[in-house]
Protein backbone atom coordinates (compact mmCIF):
# COMPACT_ATOMS: atom_id res chain seq x y z
CA UNK A 1 0.00 0.00 0.00
CA UNK A 2 1.22 3.47 -0.86
CA UNK A 3 0.92 6.15 1.80
CA UNK A 4 0.95 9.90 1.18
CA UNK A 5 1.67 12.94 3.35
CA UNK A 6 3.11 16.34 2.53
CA UNK A 7 5.09 18.11 5.29
CA UNK A 8 3.62 21.49 4.31
CA UNK A 9 0.54 20.38 6.26
CA UNK A 10 2.48 21.50 9.33
CA UNK A 11 2.04 25.10 8.19
CA UNK A 12 -1.56 24.98 9.42
CA UNK A 13 -1.03 25.12 13.16
CA UNK A 14 -3.84 26.99 14.92
CA UNK A 15 -2.90 27.51 18.58
CA UNK A 16 -6.43 27.49 20.04
CA UNK A 17 -10.10 27.01 19.27
CA UNK A 18 -13.28 27.73 21.19
CA UNK A 19 -14.69 24.80 23.19
CA UNK A 20 -17.84 25.30 25.28
CA UNK A 21 -17.16 29.03 25.23
CA UNK A 22 -13.54 28.78 26.33
CA UNK A 23 -10.38 29.19 24.24
CA UNK A 24 -8.39 25.95 24.63
CA UNK A 25 -5.35 24.43 22.95
CA UNK A 26 -6.36 23.05 19.58
CA UNK A 27 -6.10 19.25 19.33
CA UNK A 28 -5.91 19.61 15.53
CA UNK A 29 -2.28 20.51 15.02
CA UNK A 30 0.98 19.10 13.64
CA UNK A 31 1.33 16.76 16.61
CA UNK A 32 -1.48 14.68 15.11
CA UNK A 33 0.68 13.89 12.10
CA UNK A 34 3.65 13.11 14.34
CA UNK A 35 1.67 10.56 16.34
CA UNK A 36 0.10 8.96 13.27
CA UNK A 37 3.52 8.78 11.60
CA UNK A 38 4.88 6.92 14.62
CA UNK A 39 2.12 4.38 14.23
CA UNK A 40 3.07 3.84 10.61
CA UNK A 41 6.77 3.61 11.48
CA UNK A 42 5.97 0.86 14.00
CA UNK A 43 4.76 -1.18 11.02
CA UNK A 44 7.80 -0.35 8.91
CA UNK A 45 5.74 1.95 6.70
CA UNK A 46 6.89 5.26 5.27
CA UNK A 47 5.00 8.02 3.50
CA UNK A 48 5.61 9.70 0.17
CA UNK A 49 4.86 13.40 -0.44
CA UNK A 50 2.70 14.35 -3.42
CA UNK A 51 4.78 15.61 -6.32
CA UNK A 52 2.77 18.85 -6.43
CA UNK A 53 0.86 20.73 -3.76
CA UNK A 54 -0.77 23.49 -5.77
CA UNK A 55 -1.50 22.41 -9.32
CA UNK A 56 -4.08 23.48 -11.86
CA UNK A 57 -5.44 19.95 -11.84
CA UNK A 58 -5.99 20.03 -8.08
CA UNK A 59 -7.69 23.42 -8.34
CA UNK A 60 -9.98 22.11 -11.10
CA UNK A 61 -10.94 19.07 -9.05
CA UNK A 62 -11.63 21.15 -5.96
CA UNK A 63 -13.89 23.39 -8.03
CA UNK A 64 -16.12 20.37 -8.69
CA UNK A 65 -16.96 20.08 -4.98
CA UNK A 66 -16.49 23.61 -3.60
CA UNK A 67 -17.93 26.94 -4.76
CA UNK A 68 -15.42 29.24 -6.52
CA UNK A 69 -16.12 32.08 -4.08
CA UNK A 70 -15.36 29.75 -1.17
CA UNK A 71 -12.03 28.66 -2.64
CA UNK A 72 -11.16 32.32 -3.20
CA UNK A 73 -12.17 33.07 0.39
CA UNK A 74 -9.83 30.42 1.82
CA UNK A 75 -6.91 31.70 -0.22
CA UNK A 76 -7.35 35.43 0.39
CA UNK A 77 -9.17 35.94 3.68
CA UNK A 78 -6.16 36.14 5.98
CA UNK A 79 -4.59 39.00 4.01
CA UNK A 80 -7.93 40.82 3.81
CA UNK A 81 -8.56 40.24 7.52
CA UNK A 82 -5.19 41.70 8.52
CA UNK A 83 -6.01 44.94 6.69
CA UNK A 84 -8.83 45.60 9.17
CA UNK A 85 -8.01 48.03 12.00
CA UNK A 86 -7.24 46.27 15.30
CA UNK A 87 -7.86 42.81 13.82
CA UNK A 88 -6.40 39.76 15.53
CA UNK A 89 -3.72 37.80 13.66
CA UNK A 90 -5.99 34.74 13.64
CA UNK A 91 -9.09 34.72 11.44
CA UNK A 92 -12.17 33.69 13.45
CA UNK A 93 -15.86 34.53 13.06
CA UNK A 94 -17.87 36.72 15.40
CA UNK A 95 -21.14 36.78 13.44
CA UNK A 96 -23.14 34.11 11.58
CA UNK A 97 -26.19 34.30 9.27
CA UNK A 98 -28.24 32.02 11.52
CA UNK A 99 -31.36 30.83 9.74
CA UNK A 100 -29.79 31.62 6.38
CA UNK A 101 -28.65 34.95 5.05
CA UNK A 102 -30.12 36.70 2.03
CA UNK A 103 -27.07 38.68 0.88
CA UNK A 104 -23.49 37.57 0.32
CA UNK A 105 -21.31 40.10 2.15
CA UNK A 106 -18.31 42.03 0.90
CA UNK A 107 -16.75 42.90 4.29
CA UNK A 108 -14.18 40.36 5.62
CA UNK A 109 -15.99 39.97 8.96
CA UNK A 110 -19.17 39.08 7.11
CA UNK A 111 -17.34 36.69 4.79
CA UNK A 112 -15.78 34.85 7.73
CA UNK A 113 -19.19 34.44 9.34
CA UNK A 114 -20.70 33.25 6.06
CA UNK A 115 -18.04 30.65 5.28
CA UNK A 116 -17.21 29.34 8.79
CA UNK A 117 -20.16 27.71 10.49
CA UNK A 118 -18.45 27.31 13.88
CA UNK A 119 -15.46 28.48 15.95
CA UNK A 120 -13.23 25.46 15.26
CA UNK A 121 -11.55 26.72 12.08
CA UNK A 122 -9.19 29.57 12.99
CA UNK A 123 -6.75 30.46 10.22
CA UNK A 124 -3.25 31.85 10.48
CA UNK A 125 -1.08 33.40 7.77
CA UNK A 126 0.23 29.97 6.68
CA UNK A 127 -3.00 28.03 7.01
CA UNK A 128 -3.98 27.96 3.35
CA UNK A 129 -0.67 26.35 2.37
CA UNK A 130 -1.24 23.60 4.92
CA UNK A 131 -4.85 23.13 3.84
CA UNK A 132 -3.81 22.71 0.20
CA UNK A 133 -1.09 20.23 1.17
CA UNK A 134 -3.69 18.14 2.98
CA UNK A 135 -5.92 18.09 -0.09
CA UNK A 136 -2.97 17.28 -2.35
CA UNK A 137 -2.19 14.25 -0.19
CA UNK A 138 -5.72 12.93 -0.65
CA UNK A 139 -5.50 13.61 -4.38
CA UNK A 140 -2.21 11.70 -4.64
CA UNK A 141 -3.69 8.66 -2.90
CA UNK A 142 -6.71 8.69 -5.21
CA UNK A 143 -4.49 9.07 -8.28
CA UNK A 144 -2.47 6.05 -7.11
CA UNK A 145 -5.64 3.96 -6.98
CA UNK A 146 -6.66 5.20 -10.43
CA UNK A 147 -3.44 3.81 -11.92
CA UNK A 148 -3.75 0.42 -10.31
CA UNK A 149 -2.97 0.45 -6.59
CA UNK A 150 -5.62 -1.67 -4.85
CA UNK A 151 -5.58 0.72 -1.88
CA UNK A 152 -3.75 3.87 -0.79
CA UNK A 153 -3.71 5.90 2.43
CA UNK A 154 -3.58 9.69 2.79
CA UNK A 155 -2.56 11.26 6.09
CA UNK A 156 -4.59 14.46 5.90
CA UNK A 157 -4.60 17.22 8.45
CA UNK A 158 -6.47 19.42 8.67
CA UNK A 159 -9.21 16.85 8.08
CA UNK A 160 -12.05 17.51 5.67
CA UNK A 161 -15.38 15.77 6.14
CA UNK A 162 -17.13 18.72 7.87
CA UNK A 163 -16.28 21.06 4.95
CA UNK A 164 -19.27 21.59 2.67
CA UNK A 165 -19.59 23.26 -0.73
CA UNK A 166 -18.83 26.68 0.77
CA UNK A 167 -18.53 26.20 4.53
CA UNK A 168 -15.66 25.35 6.86
CA UNK A 169 -16.34 23.74 10.22
CA UNK A 170 -15.08 21.22 12.74
CA UNK A 171 -11.37 21.81 11.93
CA UNK A 172 -12.16 21.17 8.22
CA UNK A 173 -11.67 23.50 5.23
CA UNK A 174 -11.39 21.41 2.03
CA UNK A 175 -13.24 18.10 1.86
CA UNK A 176 -10.46 15.58 1.28
CA UNK A 177 -12.76 12.55 1.16
CA UNK A 178 -15.05 14.24 -1.37
CA UNK A 179 -11.98 15.18 -3.40
CA UNK A 180 -10.80 11.55 -3.43
CA UNK A 181 -14.25 10.44 -4.59
CA UNK A 182 -14.19 13.09 -7.31
CA UNK A 183 -10.87 11.73 -8.58
CA UNK A 184 -12.19 8.16 -8.55
CA UNK A 185 -15.28 9.26 -10.49
CA UNK A 186 -13.00 10.05 -13.40
CA UNK A 187 -12.70 6.28 -13.99
CA UNK A 188 -15.59 4.72 -12.03
CA UNK A 189 -19.32 5.35 -12.55
CA UNK A 190 -20.36 4.53 -8.98
CA UNK A 191 -18.22 5.53 -6.01
CA UNK A 192 -19.05 5.14 -2.32
CA UNK A 193 -17.80 7.11 0.68
CA UNK A 194 -17.97 5.20 3.95
CA UNK A 195 -17.42 7.48 6.96
CA UNK A 196 -16.40 5.76 10.21
CA UNK A 197 -15.39 8.90 12.11
CA UNK A 198 -16.84 9.65 15.55
CA UNK A 199 -18.60 12.67 14.05
CA UNK A 200 -21.03 12.77 11.16
CA UNK A 201 -19.46 13.94 7.89
CA UNK A 202 -21.97 16.71 7.28
CA UNK A 203 -19.87 18.45 4.65
CA UNK A 204 -19.54 15.27 2.60
CA UNK A 205 -23.28 14.70 2.86
CA UNK A 206 -24.01 18.26 1.70
CA UNK A 207 -21.70 17.96 -1.32
CA UNK A 208 -23.32 14.77 -2.66
CA UNK A 209 -26.85 14.99 -1.22
CA UNK A 210 -28.57 15.42 -4.59
CA UNK A 211 -26.30 13.09 -6.56
CA UNK A 212 -26.86 9.42 -7.30
CA UNK A 213 -23.36 8.59 -8.57
CA UNK A 214 -21.63 8.96 -5.19
CA UNK A 215 -23.18 7.07 -2.26
CA UNK A 216 -22.45 8.47 1.21
CA UNK A 217 -22.81 6.44 4.39
CA UNK A 218 -21.87 7.29 7.96
CA UNK A 219 -22.03 5.79 11.42
CA UNK A 220 -21.34 8.27 14.20
CA UNK A 221 -22.33 9.52 17.64
CA UNK A 222 -25.95 10.67 17.62
CA UNK A 223 -26.03 14.35 16.59
CA UNK A 224 -28.99 14.94 18.90
CA UNK A 225 -26.33 15.02 21.63
CA UNK A 226 -23.06 15.54 19.79
CA UNK A 227 -21.26 17.61 17.14
CA UNK A 228 -22.19 18.49 14.38
CA UNK A 229 -25.67 18.60 16.00
CA UNK A 230 -27.64 19.81 12.97
CA UNK A 231 -26.88 17.03 10.47
CA UNK A 232 -26.55 13.27 10.56
CA UNK A 233 -30.02 11.99 11.41
CA UNK A 234 -31.28 8.63 10.20
CA UNK A 235 -34.06 10.44 8.29
CA UNK A 236 -31.61 12.16 5.89
CA UNK A 237 -31.73 10.01 2.76
CA UNK A 238 -30.71 12.38 -0.05
CA UNK A 239 -32.90 14.23 -2.49
CA UNK A 240 -33.54 14.33 -6.24
CA UNK A 241 -31.18 12.00 -8.03
CA UNK A 242 -29.52 11.35 -4.68
CA UNK A 243 -32.66 10.00 -2.99
CA UNK A 244 -31.63 6.83 -1.18
CA UNK A 245 -27.91 7.40 -1.78
CA UNK A 246 -27.26 8.85 1.70
CA UNK A 247 -27.42 6.61 4.77
CA UNK A 248 -26.83 7.71 8.37
CA UNK A 249 -26.73 5.31 11.30
CA UNK A 250 -26.38 7.33 14.52
CA UNK A 251 -25.07 5.56 17.62
CA UNK A 252 -25.94 6.30 21.26
CA UNK A 253 -23.21 8.17 23.10
CA UNK A 254 -20.78 5.79 24.75
CA UNK A 255 -21.44 2.89 22.37
CA UNK A 256 -18.73 0.22 22.52
CA UNK A 257 -16.89 -1.62 19.80
CA UNK A 258 -19.39 -4.46 19.52
CA UNK A 259 -22.22 -2.00 18.87
CA UNK A 260 -20.08 -0.01 16.44
CA UNK A 261 -19.11 -3.08 14.41
CA UNK A 262 -22.64 -4.47 14.35
CA UNK A 263 -23.85 -1.12 13.03
CA UNK A 264 -21.04 -1.11 10.49
CA UNK A 265 -22.33 -4.43 9.17
CA UNK A 266 -25.73 -2.81 8.59
CA UNK A 267 -24.10 0.11 6.82
CA UNK A 268 -22.12 -2.25 4.59
CA UNK A 269 -25.37 -3.97 3.60
CA UNK A 270 -26.68 -0.62 2.38
CA UNK A 271 -23.40 0.07 0.59
CA UNK A 272 -23.53 -3.33 -1.15
CA UNK A 273 -26.99 -2.52 -2.49
CA UNK A 274 -25.49 0.51 -4.27
CA UNK A 275 -22.97 -1.79 -6.03
CA UNK A 276 -20.02 0.63 -5.87
CA UNK A 277 -17.04 0.16 -8.15
CA UNK A 278 -14.62 2.05 -5.89
CA UNK A 279 -14.57 3.20 -2.27
CA UNK A 280 -13.35 6.09 -0.16
CA UNK A 281 -13.06 5.45 3.58
CA UNK A 282 -13.29 8.60 5.70
CA UNK A 283 -11.11 7.14 8.44
CA UNK A 284 -11.71 8.63 11.86
CA UNK A 285 -9.85 7.21 14.85
CA UNK A 286 -11.63 9.48 17.34
CA UNK A 287 -14.18 6.80 18.26
CA UNK A 288 -11.54 5.46 20.66
CA UNK A 289 -12.60 5.62 24.30
CA UNK A 290 -9.68 7.90 25.30
CA UNK A 291 -9.86 10.39 22.44
CA UNK A 292 -9.97 14.02 23.72
CA UNK A 293 -13.30 14.49 21.92
CA UNK A 294 -14.60 11.07 22.97
CA UNK A 295 -18.23 10.19 22.35
CA UNK A 296 -17.87 6.46 21.70
CA UNK A 297 -15.87 3.77 23.49
CA UNK A 298 -13.89 1.70 20.99
CA UNK A 299 -10.75 -0.17 22.03
CA UNK A 300 -7.64 -0.38 19.87
CA UNK A 301 -8.49 -3.97 18.86
CA UNK A 302 -11.80 -2.75 17.43
CA UNK A 303 -9.88 -0.81 14.78
CA UNK A 304 -8.22 -4.06 13.70
CA UNK A 305 -11.67 -5.59 13.19
CA UNK A 306 -12.76 -2.45 11.34
CA UNK A 307 -9.81 -2.75 8.97
CA UNK A 308 -10.60 -6.39 8.24
CA UNK A 309 -14.25 -5.66 7.46
CA UNK A 310 -13.42 -2.85 5.06
CA UNK A 311 -10.67 -4.79 3.29
CA UNK A 312 -13.12 -7.66 2.77
CA UNK A 313 -15.14 -5.39 0.48
CA UNK A 314 -12.34 -5.95 -2.06
CA UNK A 315 -12.86 -2.62 -3.81
CA UNK A 316 -10.27 -0.15 -5.10
CA UNK A 317 -10.03 1.99 -1.96
CA UNK A 318 -8.68 5.35 -0.86
CA UNK A 319 -8.24 5.65 2.91
CA UNK A 320 -8.44 9.32 3.91
CA UNK A 321 -7.50 10.31 7.45
CA UNK A 322 -10.20 12.34 9.16
CA UNK A 323 -10.41 12.64 12.96
CA UNK A 324 -8.38 11.11 15.76
CA UNK A 325 -6.74 13.47 18.23
CA UNK A 326 -3.61 13.36 20.38
CA UNK A 327 -3.39 10.55 22.91
CA UNK A 328 -0.82 7.85 23.54
CA UNK A 329 -3.12 5.49 21.64
CA UNK A 330 -3.51 7.41 18.38
CA UNK A 331 -0.60 5.90 16.45
CA UNK A 332 -1.43 2.43 17.77
CA UNK A 333 -5.02 2.81 16.59
CA UNK A 334 -3.87 3.62 13.06
CA UNK A 335 -1.42 0.69 13.11
CA UNK A 336 -4.20 -1.59 14.35
CA UNK A 337 -6.51 -0.49 11.55
CA UNK A 338 -3.90 -0.87 8.81
CA UNK A 339 -2.74 -4.17 10.28
CA UNK A 340 -6.27 -5.51 10.05
CA UNK A 341 -6.75 -4.03 6.59
CA UNK A 342 -3.56 -5.44 5.08
CA UNK A 343 -3.94 -8.86 6.74
CA UNK A 344 -7.44 -9.45 5.38
Amino acid sequence: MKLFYHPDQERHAPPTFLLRGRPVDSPEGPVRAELLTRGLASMGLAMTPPTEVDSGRLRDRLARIHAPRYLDFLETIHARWCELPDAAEIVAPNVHPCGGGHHYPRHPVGLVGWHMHDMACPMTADSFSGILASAASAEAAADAVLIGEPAAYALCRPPGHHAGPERAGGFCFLNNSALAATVLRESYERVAILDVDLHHGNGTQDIFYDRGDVWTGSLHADPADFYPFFWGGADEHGEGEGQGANVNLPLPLGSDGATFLATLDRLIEALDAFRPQALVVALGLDAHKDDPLAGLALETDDFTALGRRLAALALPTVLVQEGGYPTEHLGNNLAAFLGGYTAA
Side-chain angles (χ1 to χ4, degrees), residues 69 73 77 80-81 84 91-98 101 103-117 166-167:
R69 68 184 185 184
F73 163 82
I77 189 56
R80 296 178 65 184
W81 180 266
L84 297 173
V91 175
N94 60 267
V95 61
H96 294 282
C98 296
H103 304 287
Y104 187 67
R106 182 166 53 235
H107 194 279
V109 170
L111 289 171
V112 172
W114 184 280
H115 288 298
M116 293 181 170
H117 69 68
E166 62 170 3
R167 296 287 195 279

Side-chain angles (χ1 to χ4, degrees), residues 1-161:
M1 180 188 296
K2 289 189 175 180
L3 304 95
F4 295 91
Y5 170 78
H6 199 287
D8 278 1
Q9 293 182 40
E10 297 176 13
R11 298 182 69 179
H12 177 61
T16 63
F17 83 115
L18 201 64
L19 178 66
R20 300 186 185 99
R22 296 180 181 275
V24 299
D25 293 343
S26 177
E28 206 304 289
V31 68
R32 289 187 65 220
E34 294 174 16
L35 295 171
L36 292 166
T37 300
R38 286 182 207 167
L40 297 174
S42 73
M43 302 178 67
L45 299 173
M47 291 177 293
T48 301
T51 54
E52 289 185 279
V53 169
D54 188 2
S55 68
R57 185 177 64 166
L58 175 60
R59 297 277 186 143
D60 289 344
R61 286 165 162 172
L62 288 170
R64 297 179 208 165
I65 58 174
H66 292 297
R69 68 184 185 184
Y70 175 61
L71 296 174
D72 179 71
F73 163 82
L74 291 178
E75 185 169 13
T76 65
I77 189 56
H78 191 272
R80 296 178 65 184
W81 180 266
C82 288
E83 292 175 355
L84 297 173
D86 299 321
E89 294 182 3
I90 295 175
V91 175
N94 60 267
V95 61
H96 294 282
C98 296
H102 296 286
H103 304 287
Y104 187 67
R106 182 166 53 235
H107 194 279
V109 170
L111 289 171
V112 172
W114 184 280
H115 288 298
M116 293 181 170
H117 69 68
D118 60 34
M119 297 290 290
C121 290
M123 295 180 69
T124 65
D126 291 329
S127 283
F128 185 67
S129 296
I131 292 162
L132 267 186
S134 182
S137 300
E139 179 188 43
D143 280 334
V145 171
L146 277 192
I147 62 174
E149 287 290 324
Y153 168 78
L155 198 172
C156 296
R157 68 139 306 270
H161 72 153

Side-chain angles (χ1 to χ4, degrees), residues 7 42 46 103 113 150 266 279 290 311:
S42 73
H103 304 287
R266 292 170 49 207
L279 176 67
D290 293 330

Side-chain angles (χ1 to χ4, degrees), residues 87 218 299 335 340:
S218 177
E299 304 280 355

Side-chain angles (χ1 to χ4, degrees), residues 21-328:
R22 296 180 181 275
V24 299
D25 293 343
S26 177
E28 206 304 289
V31 68
R32 289 187 65 220
E34 294 174 16
L35 295 171
L36 292 166
T37 300
R38 286 182 207 167
L40 297 174
S42 73
M43 302 178 67
L45 299 173
M47 291 177 293
T48 301
T51 54
E52 289 185 279
V53 169
D54 188 2
S55 68
R57 185 177 64 166
L58 175 60
R59 297 277 186 143
D60 289 344
R61 286 165 162 172
L62 288 170
R64 297 179 208 165
I65 58 174
H66 292 297
R69 68 184 185 184
Y70 175 61
L71 296 174
D72 179 71
F73 163 82
L74 291 178
E75 185 169 13
T76 65
I77 189 56
H78 191 272
R80 296 178 65 184
W81 180 266
C82 288
E83 292 175 355
L84 297 173
D86 299 321
E89 294 182 3
I90 295 175
V91 175
N94 60 267
V95 61
H96 294 282
C98 296
H102 296 286
H103 304 287
Y104 187 67
R106 182 166 53 235
H107 194 279
V109 170
L111 289 171
V112 172
W114 184 280
H115 288 298
M116 293 181 170
H117 69 68
D118 60 34
M119 297 290 290
C121 290
M123 295 180 69
T124 65
D126 291 329
S127 283
F128 185 67
S129 296
I131 292 162
L132 267 186
S134 182
S137 300
E139 179 188 43
D143 280 334
V145 171
L146 277 192
I147 62 174
E149 287 290 324
Y153 168 78
L155 198 172
C156 296
R157 68 139 306 270
H161 72 153
H162 296 306
E166 62 170 3
R167 296 287 195 279
F171 306 133
C172 302
F173 300 87
L174 296 174
N175 196 307
N176 303 313
S177 291
L179 172 63
T182 297
V183 174
L184 292 178
R185 274 288 290 115
E186 294 171 6
S187 291
Y188 298 100
E189 291 184 2
R190 294 187 308 280
V191 174
I193 301 175
L194 187 62
D195 194 322
V196 296
D197 191 272
L198 166 65
H199 306 90
H200 176 251
N202 56 295
T204 310
Q205 173 175 294
D206 285 350
I207 288 169
F208 297 111
Y209 203 62
D210 61 355
R211 288 175 54 175
D213 58 327
V214 178
W215 180 94
T216 50
S218 177
L219 70 163
H220 47 270
D222 192 335
D225 301 300
F226 206 71
Y227 187 91
F229 296 112
F230 314 113
W231 305 266
D235 59 343
E236 298 162 18
H237 304 297
E239 60 186 21
E241 294 182 4
Q243 181 65 38
N246 188 82
V247 179
N248 292 322
L249 297 180
L251 295 164
L253 288 183
S255 293
D256 61 11
T259 301
F260 183 94
L261 292 169
T263 305
L264 175 67
D265 289 341
R266 292 170 49 207
L267 192 59
I268 288 174
E269 289 180 8
L271 180 149
D272 286 341
F274 177 72
R275 296 180 295 111
Q277 298 166 316
L279 176 67
V280 176
V281 175
L283 178 60
L285 301 171
D286 42 1
H288 188 266
K289 64 178 183 178
D290 293 330
D291 191 271
L293 304 179
L296 300 177
L298 273 64
E299 304 280 355
T300 296
D301 288 347
D302 294 319
F303 291 105
T304 303
L306 172 62
R308 289 189 185 123
R309 278 168 164 78
L310 297 182
L313 296 172
L315 291 166
T317 299
V318 184
L319 306 167
V320 177
Q321 189 64 57
E322 295 288 356
Y325 299 96
T327 71
E328 61 180 318

